[in-house]
Every structure is written in C-alpha cells, then in structure tokens.
Amino acid sequence: MINNLRYADDVVLIATSPEDLQELINRVRAFSETDGLLINTDKAKLMACGNSGMNTKITVSGEVDSFVYLGSIFTCDDNCSQDFIKKLALGRSTMQ
C-alpha cells in the first residue's frame, strides 16, 4: 500500500485514519530531524477525504479542500475539473 508520495522536498502522506496519519507524520519527522531537516508547518496542509464525520485531531496550518502537488490539483471530491481548467489555460497561454 502506498502511503506517501515524494518529489524533491514535497511530500504527500496518505492514511486511512487520523491515528495512522499521526504515526506517519511522527516517523517522517523523526527520520528528517536526524538529517537536520524540519517540516515547514507554515506550508503543511491537511485534507480529510471520504468520511466527512471524521474528527481529525491533527493540526498543521489549516484544513484545505484542495492542494497542488507537482502541478496537479487534488480535491476531496475527486473532481478534476479545476485541474483541467488550469491545464487548458496554461496550454492556451503557451500557444498565444
């Protein structure tokens, strides 16, 4: 099971419960700190999908409905129209 996506200094952690997410965050933080790296809590975001009744106790800099990772927009509702609109606009501006 894939529980994280990494590219350069960007990391997405994926979990099925707040407890699993907290454990992943703790592990990433522990391994990062051994190399002198810190999690930037000003840039960190939390997006809870699926079970809307889930009471998350994980605090970063705020909960979001979508985020951009490697140029693609990820949303809670799996709606990719925002991403299509963004990519079409980029294509149009390039062609002009």
Side-chain angles (χ1 to χ4, degrees), residues 20-93:
D20 290 345
L21 181 58
Q22 188 63 61
E23 182 183 336
L24 277 172
I25 291 170
N26 292 344
R27 288 168 56 194
V28 168
R29 180 179 291 135
F31 282 109
S32 298
E33 287 176 353
T34 60
D35 291 327
L37 302 173
L38 300 174
I39 295 174
N40 186 341
T41 56
D42 292 334
K43 290 184 175 181
K45 307 271 189 288
L46 172 67
M47 184 168 73
C49 299
N51 186 358
S52 59
M54 183 172 68
N55 184 10
T56 57
K57 295 182 181 183
I58 296 164
T59 304
V60 264
S61 63
E63 197 163 327
V64 297
D65 293 325
S66 66
F67 65 94
V68 178
Y69 181 71
L70 300 180
S72 293
I73 300 172
F74 290 80
T75 63
C76 267
D77 59 3
D78 294 329
N79 183 346
C80 53
S81 61
Q82 286 181 337
D83 198 38
F84 285 139
I85 291 168
K86 178 184 170 194
K87 287 185 174 22
L88 286 172
L90 286 170
R92 278 191 200 108
S93 68

